[in-house]
Amino acid sequence: MIEVTDLTKTFGPKVAVDNLSFSVKKGEVLGFLGPNGAGKSTTMRMVTGFLPVTSGKIKICDIPMNWRPNAAKKKIGYLPESAPLYNDMTVQGFLKFCASLRGLGGPKRRHAVDEAIETCFLENVARQSIGTLSKGYRHRTCLAQALLHDPEVLVLDEPTDGLDPNQKLEVRKLIKNLGKDKAILFSTHILEEVTASCSRAVIVDQGKIVADGTPAELEAQGGGSLYDLFHKVTTFETPADKSEEPAA
Amino acid sequence: MKTWTIFKRELSSYFTQPTAYAVIIIFGLLSTVLAFAFGHFWQRDDASLGAFWQFLPLLLMILVPAVSMKQWSDENSSNTIELLGTMPLKMNSAVMGKFLAAALVWLVTLSLTFPMVWAVNHLGEPDNWIIASGYIGTFLVCLTFIAITTFVSAFTRDEVVALIVSVAVCCLLSLVGFPEFINLARQADATEAADIMTKIGIYDHFFQATTGKINVTSLLYFCGLITVCLVGTNLVLKSKRS
């Protein structure tokens, strides 16, 4: 469903993603682990078609992103890192807007919006202005827009960031459930999430994959601890120069 | 279809916030005050809207950027550009949708100045075709300033910067063709420069329209500027992501 081959992204002299290759099949939840600045978000932005690649290939459900971006984007639901939303809209209005952009109309759109609201527990705030929502609700609203069109591929950039422990638990459960019939790529730097939600995980450091396997395999590689493996394979001081990326 | 979706969102954003109402009221008040106080509407003793048109470019060069400054700077600062960029949507549809929504706000604003038209028709027998031509010219100036602001706002995530730069560009385009500046250039024996200033400035094209003479050159001038700015916006948005 997601096939990434020799993916490279440079911003001037800085190599953000370095010859990365991985694939995610249907029914698989791939955790994308790595320290801050490792290239996780940049990879996700390329996979979703937001950033053009410097070199390499991305295929979504066998559709090449380079050649048929709109067809490939139709297959993807994406939750960006900062959960960007239009503050002047209501939750329902925003979801209707996103559904329309996804090509849904009439009763299909209504049904999709209602279902996304229900799945992400947004009933209480459906008619509320987004600008007045708490961080948790904002995150869930953005997650809801990613689910609207029942995509075959979900790309979630730190989906539990800013949620309280209960909400984190709900989102992890949701990811696990959705992963049964979708291909999910989700990034995190919370290691517990790998064992909680992922069927496989890769650890990325300085734009390269430095470890790949099931959570059990990765724990075994780390001598029984994912923390130890993460500590061993990632560099301590990642360059704090996300500013070299163009402002999204 | 996608253009329509973006258009509807933008339009509702103008009218669910005070932006559109503020511009309608401020434009209505200031354009009337300028026409009566500085354009000498009564003293002219003329059944036309000459006094009304006289100061409009000066008003529009500030108010149009104020309405449109958020178009792309807001998308850049709130990062919703990332959301739009990952939707099955061509960026030019988004650019067009936003442009058309702002255009409709100005169409509504201009149409609400109808009491001026009513007043001159009540007081005398004006040539309403010339008045219609003036409105078309004014609307073309609005569209041009919207396109310039759209282009400028694509560069930045700071709406104040977008406003200042857009006003500066619109101001330059308006003032460069103002008769006072043209005369200064002619007095300095820079006839060629004066001719160029007349051609590139908005004032002459606008003034022709207000006297009922919308010619092909003026249409090409406005349409050319609008097209260049909108295509430029699309290119800037694409290049910022690469």
Side-chain angles (χ1 to χ4, degrees):
Chain A
M1 287 225 165
I2 305 177
E3 271 182 69
V4 173
T5 318
D6 302 329
L7 190 67
T8 299
K9 181 72 188 176
T10 57
F11 296 108
K14 180 182 156 61
V15 181
V17 176
D18 191 1
N19 222 24
L20 214 69
S21 296
F22 63 87
S23 65
V24 190
K25 296 182 183 70
K26 186 178 177 177
E28 202 172 34
V29 180
L30 178 71
F32 218 52
L33 284 169
N36 289 328
K40 304 188 297 288
S41 293
T42 306
T43 304
M44 294 192 147
R45 284 173 176 172
M46 287 190 284
V47 168
T48 52
F50 179 66
L51 285 180
V53 303
T54 302
S55 66
K57 285 177 190 165
I58 297 166
K59 277 187 180 177
I60 306 293
C61 303
D62 286 328
I63 303 166
M65 182 60 85
N66 280 358
W67 292 99
R68 296 175 59 207
N70 278 350
K73 284 174 185 177
K74 279 183 186 168
K75 305 280 182 187
I76 304 175
Y78 176 46
L79 169 68
E81 188 181 5
S82 53
L85 301 164
Y86 294 104
N87 288 336
D88 57 307
M89 297 180 100
T90 62
V91 171
Q92 201 169 39
F94 171 72
L95 293 176
K96 276 184 187 169
F97 165 68
C98 292
S100 299
L101 285 181
R102 291 282 180 195
L104 300 171
K108 269 188 181 174
R109 187 179 70 172
R110 219 171 15 250
H111 179 69
V113 169
D114 289 345
E115 204 168 274
I117 286 175
E118 198 186 319
T119 310
C120 297
F121 312 105
L122 292 165
E123 292 95 336
N124 293 339
V125 294
R127 290 176 193 281
Q128 201 171 317
S129 167
I130 288 173
T132 64
L133 295 181
S134 67
K135 196 172 178 184
Y137 274 121
R138 288 178 67 86
H139 225 81
R140 279 188 271 164
T141 304
C142 205
L143 179 61
Q145 66 74 30
L147 304 175
L148 278 170
H149 53 302
D150 191 21
E152 291 172 58
V153 171
L154 269 176
V155 179
L156 311 171
D157 200 351
E158 301 191 7
T160 57
D161 185 38
L163 302 183
D164 68 36
N166 289 336
Q167 292 166 341
K168 275 185 186 171
L169 203 69
E170 287 301 329
V171 170
R172 283 176 198 160
K173 266 192 220 168
L174 181 66
I175 291 171
K176 209 162 185 176
N177 276 338
L178 291 168
K180 286 174 189 162
D181 61 348
K182 296 182 194 303
I184 301 184
L185 170 66
F186 91 93
S187 78
T188 180
H189 44 238
I190 303 168
L191 300 182
E192 293 85 11
E193 283 186 348
V194 175
T195 37
S197 323
C198 300
S199 49
R200 197 160 65 83
V202 292
I203 301 177
V204 186
D205 184 52
Q206 295 187 334
K208 289 179 181 164
I209 291 179
V210 288
D212 184 354
T214 63
E217 285 168 356
L218 291 178
E219 276 180 352
Q221 282 178 44
S225 161
L226 202 53
Y227 277 96
D228 288 343
L229 176 69
F230 190 85
H231 216 62
K232 201 165 75 183
V233 296
T234 58
T235 33
F236 230 155
E237 286 190 23
T238 49
D241 52 1
K242 278 192 97 180
S243 58
E244 283 189 37
E245 291 181 26
Chain B
M1 185 62 195
K2 303 282 165 73
T3 305
W4 175 239
T5 305
I6 299 283
F7 169 81
K8 280 195 296 182
R9 196 216 91 74
E10 284 298 306
L11 199 63
S12 82
S13 137
Y14 282 122
F15 284 98
T16 51
Q17 291 177 319
T19 321
Y21 307 105
V23 75
I24 288 168
I25 293 167
I26 292 170
F27 179 80
L29 281 175
L30 287 182
S31 59
T32 313
V33 167
L34 287 172
F36 282 89
F38 298 102
H40 308 295
F41 184 80
W42 294 117
Q43 291 88 328
R44 281 180 181 232
D45 201 21
D46 177 22
S48 78
L49 285 183
F52 178 65
W53 306 129
Q54 197 176 345
F55 296 101
L56 280 196
L58 298 179
L59 202 54
L60 294 174
M61 73 188 190
I62 295 166
L63 285 181
V64 174
V67 174
S68 303
M69 64 182 181
K70 283 168 75 175
Q71 274 199 8
W72 289 104
S73 55
D74 222 23
E75 300 274 359
N76 287 331
S77 65
S78 64
N79 215 18
T80 41
I81 185 86
E82 190 169 348
L83 211 57
L84 286 184
T86 52
M87 292 280 179
L89 160 82
K90 285 185 176 158
M91 210 35 103
N92 53 9
S93 305
V95 172
M96 208 53 186
K98 281 171 177 276
F99 173 76
L100 292 176
L104 188 63
V105 170
W106 278 101
L107 194 63
V108 171
T109 307
L110 291 179
S111 61
L112 288 176
T113 59
F114 70 90
M116 290 295 291
V117 183
W118 176 82
V120 286
N121 272 282
H122 183 70
L123 295 168
E125 290 176 356
D127 186 337
N128 281 317
W129 287 113
I130 292 180
I131 290 177
S133 165
Y135 270 105
I136 292 170
T138 310
F139 188 53
L140 285 170
V141 172
C142 289
L143 293 182
T144 308
F145 288 171
I146 294 169
I148 289 169
T149 314
T150 301
F151 179 57
V152 172
S153 74
F155 280 97
T156 176
R157 48 176 56 214
D158 187 334
E159 56 194 55
V160 178
V161 172
L163 174 68
I164 292 169
V165 178
S166 306
V167 169
V169 176
C170 296
C171 186
L172 199 70
L173 264 183
S174 302
L175 294 182
V176 79
F178 244 61
E180 284 74 9
F181 288 101
I182 303 289
N183 288 340
L184 276 178
R186 289 199 200 284
Q187 279 164 17
D189 272 345
T191 321
E192 277 186 19
D195 289 344
I196 292 170
M197 283 163 69
T198 309
K199 277 177 191 158
I200 61 168
I202 269 196
Y203 188 84
D204 188 54
H205 300 283
F206 171 68
F207 183 72
Q208 297 281 343
T210 61
T211 51
K213 295 174 219 155
I214 298 181
N215 53 38
V216 179
T217 318
S218 295
L219 278 178
L220 283 175
Y221 170 82
F222 286 119
C223 294
L225 266 179
I226 293 165
T227 310
V228 165
C229 289
L230 294 185
V231 171
T233 306
N234 202 17
L235 291 176
V236 170
L237 292 172
K238 277 185 183 165
S239 71
K240 281 189 91 174
R241 283 154 53 181
S242 54

